[in-house]
Amino acid sequence: MAKDKVNIYDVAKKAGVGIGTVSRVLNNSQKVKEETRDKVLEVMKELNYRPNKLAQNLASQTANAIAVIVPTFIDHYFVEVLKGIQDALEEEKIDLILYKIDKDEKMMDKIMDIVQSKKVDGIAAVTMDISKQDYKDLLKEDIPVVLADEKTSDFHSIYLDDIKGAEMAINYLLNLGHKKIAFIDGLKESQHGSDRLKGVKKALESRNLQLVSELLKFGDFHTKDGYQSMQEILSLPEEKWPTAVFAASDNQAIGVLQAMEEKELKAPDDIAVVGYDNIELAKYLKITTIWQPMYQLGHLTIEVLLKAINGEIEGKFSKELELKLLKRETA
Amino acid sequence: MAKDKVNIYDVAKKAGVGIGTVSRVLNNSQKVKEETRDKVLEVMKELNYRPNKLAQNLASQTANAIAVIVPTFIDHYFVEVLKGIQDALEEEKIDLILYKIDKDEKMMDKIMDIVQSKKVDGIAAVTMDISKQDYKDLLKEDIPVVLADEKTSDFHSIYLDDIKGAEMAINYLLNLGHKKIAFIDGLKESQHGSDRLKGVKKALESRNLQLVSELLKFGDFHTKDGYQSMQEILSLPEEKWPTAVFAASDNQAIGVLQAMEEKELKAPDDIAVVGYDNIELAKYLKITTIWQPMYQLGHLTIEVLLKAINGEIEGKFSKELELKLLKRETA
DNA sequence: CTGTTAGCGCTTTCAA
DNA sequence: TTGAAAGCGCTAACAG
């Protein structure tokens, strides 16, 4: 009985106008006589009419939505970014479609699917390492793409400099007088891991110091990796122990601290510790760390994307966000 | 030059078939002679054709997407839920549109917008307290709706029982021999807050005990709220101090612990402390707490939603997820 | 098995 | 200002 699907024709008929007019009041486009508009609006209310966005989008060739693409996990790292994204989208009546895409061979294909599906007007890819893939197909499309946490000149890009971050940490320790510094890196293969290693070496070399191979470990950014690495280091003869440890993530730094605690070693007195990320726990444990502006990263990414969609950006936008060393109590 | 937008007609023409056939191979619907199908597939590859989903959706009257609606903040509480949602969506080729909607007067209207926009086939609302609103319009629509972390019989619903959770905590303390127990609740107005208070009273009364008004505090679930509340409690004459404190969130429990530390009070020896949520930090600080299965909540919500969309559910699905008391070192 | 045709519900010229 | 008509790109009968 209840004709569930009231459409623009129903409104037009009941209001005694053409669908073109209804469409016009819907979009506030062109002039519509106030009297007519009021009548239409009234009927829309009566019928409880709301436009079918799918149809609007198809007809207008815009999706009123953006895609945010993230790799495998929505972890705590990503929460701040997402908050920034959300806030930047606030007020805009633009939908956020969240895609989780693994970084494998099929990655670019899946992204192309999204692009050509026409369901979104723009794409924000967070730490997807797109610049390491074959992205020429994506370049051919004229859809705006912003890469967050990834530096490249082929797309708009907002990024952090891991090399600098690592240098900051090491220089800080160096200035404190430390000379034997251990570095517990993340995954060797990850961009973050390799860049942070570069930064460490660079900082050390600028003082004519070398990174001792026994004091360089790799892990997966997790607590247990830091714990294991530190255990290995502490199993070295004591004279080889470092006076400071820089961990590529706070989680690893926590593992380091645990390994130290088991040997009744205290930071910073016995061995100083610096982490990376500034996670909640780091604040609580008063770990000196490198803070990354994740919220800003998300926010700016969307700001740029929206501007790009509106054609308000010339060329490729590129911006490095500043890191900060948070001096606390472990170093 | 490059005719960017290759559509189904281009494919049909080049393959020498009708668009109906192309559509059939696209959807694997009906039989298509293998030879024809191969030809079409080949042409699609050549032309790098990918279907316009907007058009597909409009024509097929399905969106291939679901909406996940959450209130103001994507906070750490929500991360686990989102992970569960994501994992449940894995394999399905269904898009996830994330809507953040404030719980104000406009809430239901915004939700109706989403429903009638036809952009999604179903809705998962997480802790939105929809059952406290005027939701009859939503009920009229025949779109599947699943409420997560909210109990109701008008929609599918997956929920947690805060009353039970609070009872568990209090009973645990009672069994440990505590009789003077303080309760630091969350917001008085929140469903969680009021239910947990009910649970506390219920558990106490079952042993003929009363909740002393001086030992009942309200806060906003944050660390500083717990801290302040505990300070107030500790400013009472010492004979009025509780021997145990139950905080409605781990964050508040941490605040409690801080306030105690300042007075050189230890948990559990001086005063026992139980939290709620099982956040990361609680694990690290070894806080005894009530664990809520947030990941499962997200996962099951989507499972149910997908089934409902496929018409595989009779009546209203309703399930309570079990809480667990995690016994650690503060109580 | 497959081509043709009629929508899906809107936006957008084009005239009037 | 406004109505009519032509799409947007695809799905889904309906014949054949």
Side-chain angles (χ1 to χ4, degrees), chain A residues 256-322:
Chain A
V256 167
L257 256 12
Q258 284 176 350
M260 284 171 57
E261 201 176 313
E262 288 179 6
K263 296 232 176 206
E264 294 183 7
L265 264 18
K266 292 264 180 203
D269 298 335
D270 300 311
I271 298 178
V273 177
V274 175
Y276 210 104
D277 290 340
N278 191 34
I279 64 175
E280 189 83 2
L281 209 51
K283 192 185 304 181
Y284 188 83
L285 296 175
K286 308 209 164 74
I287 297 175
T288 294
T289 192
I290 304 292
W291 170 79
Q292 311 188 82
M294 303 316 281
Y295 176 89
Q296 281 180 55
L297 179 68
H299 204 282
L300 185 55
T301 296
I302 300 307
E303 281 178 49
V304 171
L305 184 56
L306 295 182
K307 279 189 186 155
I309 289 173
N310 291 325
E312 296 168 6
I313 294 187
E314 300 278 313
K316 294 302 172 198
F317 180 95
S318 175
K319 180 166 176 70
E320 178 182 333
L321 262 24
E322 293 303 321

Side-chain angles (χ1 to χ4, degrees), chain B residues 77-324:
Chain B
Y77 151 97
F78 187 64
V79 175
E80 287 299 312
V81 181
L82 198 50
K83 271 191 196 171
I85 288 174
Q86 237 184 214
D87 286 352
L89 236 28
E90 189 91 68
E91 304 300 306
E92 309 288 337
K93 41 175 258 95
I94 293 187
D95 292 338
L96 163 61
I97 309 189
L98 198 54
Y99 293 94
K100 162 180 167 265
I101 297 186
D102 298 327
K103 295 188 197 173
D104 54 26
E105 335 71 59
K106 298 192 201 137
M107 178 181 125
M108 288 310 295
D109 194 54
K110 288 180 185 165
I111 293 179
M112 290 309 293
D113 259 358
I114 295 172
V115 170
Q116 303 191 347
S117 75
K118 301 299 177 193
K119 289 186 83 168
V120 296
D121 302 314
I123 291 185
V126 186
T127 69
M128 290 299 290
D129 293 342
I130 285 183
S131 53
K132 294 191 163 178
Q133 305 289 322
D134 173 17
Y135 56 80
K136 55 179 183 303
D137 283 345
L138 182 52
L139 235 32
K140 276 188 215 144
E141 304 290 322
D142 59 356
I143 190 173
V145 175
V146 181
L147 303 191
D149 198 9
E150 184 175 352
K151 184 175 183 179
T152 160
S153 53
D154 283 330
F155 300 95
H156 301 302
S157 135
I158 326 281
Y159 57 94
L160 276 12
D161 187 337
D162 282 297
I163 300 183
K164 271 193 199 161
E167 278 187 82
M168 282 172 70
I170 298 297
N171 282 332
Y172 172 74
L173 290 171
L174 254 17
N175 290 340
L176 247 32
H178 294 284
K179 297 209 180 312
K180 283 167 66 183
I181 301 176
F183 177 42
I184 298 181
D185 201 354
L187 289 176
K188 200 184 292 195
E189 310 76 33
S190 78
Q191 187 65 55
H192 291 302
S194 84
D195 280 353
R196 287 176 197 173
L197 178 54
K198 278 184 202 160
V200 167
K201 287 183 171 166
K202 192 171 159 196
L204 249 24
E205 281 161 13
S206 75
R207 309 270 182 122
N208 296 315
L209 258 27
Q210 262 334 121
L211 180 56
V212 182
S213 70
E214 286 168 319
L215 298 184
L216 168 62
K217 301 288 178 183
F218 294 94
D220 193 10
F221 295 108
H222 301 313
T223 304
K224 72 168 192 328
D225 299 302
Y227 177 75
Q228 279 176 15
S229 297
M230 193 59 182
Q231 276 193 323
E232 289 172 23
I233 289 174
L234 293 180
S235 67
L236 294 173
E238 203 164 328
E239 66 273 14
K240 289 193 172 182
W241 286 5
T243 61
V245 176
F246 170 41
S249 74
D250 284 337
N251 277 322
Q252 291 193 106
I254 291 169
V256 168
L257 258 9
Q258 284 176 352
M260 284 170 57
E261 202 176 311
E262 288 178 5
K263 296 233 176 206
E264 292 184 8
L265 262 18
K266 291 265 182 202
D269 298 335
D270 299 311
I271 297 178
V273 175
V274 175
Y276 211 105
D277 289 341
N278 190 33
I279 64 174
E280 188 84 3
L281 210 52
K283 191 185 304 179
Y284 188 83
L285 296 176
K286 306 207 165 73
I287 298 176
T288 294
T289 192
I290 303 292
W291 169 79
Q292 310 189 84
M294 304 315 282
Y295 176 90
Q296 280 181 56
L297 179 68
H299 204 283
L300 185 55
T301 296
I302 300 307
E303 280 178 50
V304 171
L305 184 56
L306 295 182
K307 279 188 186 155
I309 290 173
N310 291 325
E312 296 166 7
I313 295 186
E314 300 280 313
K316 295 302 173 197
F317 181 94
S318 176
K319 183 168 174 65
E320 177 182 333
L321 263 24
E322 293 302 323
L323 305 170
K324 217 174 276 178

Side-chain angles (χ1 to χ4, degrees), chain A residues 58-113:
Chain A
L58 179 59
S60 66
Q61 302 285 53
T62 61
N64 268 303
I66 61 166
V68 168
I69 304 179
V70 298
T72 315
F73 281 102
I74 292 202
D75 56 16
H76 290 71
Y77 150 96
F78 186 64
V79 174
E80 287 299 312
V81 181
L82 199 50
K83 271 193 199 170
I85 287 174
Q86 238 185 213
D87 286 352
L89 235 28
E90 188 90 68
E91 304 300 304
E92 309 289 337
K93 41 176 256 100
I94 292 187
D95 292 339
L96 164 60
I97 308 189
L98 198 54
Y99 292 95
K100 161 181 167 265
I101 296 186
D102 297 327
K103 296 188 196 174
D104 54 25
E105 334 71 60
K106 297 190 201 139
M107 177 181 126
M108 288 310 296
D109 194 54
K110 288 180 184 162
I111 293 179
M112 290 310 292
D113 261 358

Side-chain angles (χ1 to χ4, degrees), chain A residues 127-161:
Chain A
T127 69
M128 290 299 291
D129 292 342
I130 285 183
S131 53
K132 293 188 161 178
Q133 305 288 324
D134 173 17
Y135 55 82
K136 54 179 182 305
D137 284 344
L138 182 52
L139 234 31
K140 276 186 215 147
E141 303 291 324
D142 59 357
I143 190 173
V145 175
V146 181
L147 303 191
D149 198 10
E150 184 176 350
K151 184 176 183 176
T152 161
S153 52
D154 282 331
F155 299 94
H156 301 301
S157 133
I158 325 282
Y159 57 94
L160 276 13
D161 187 336

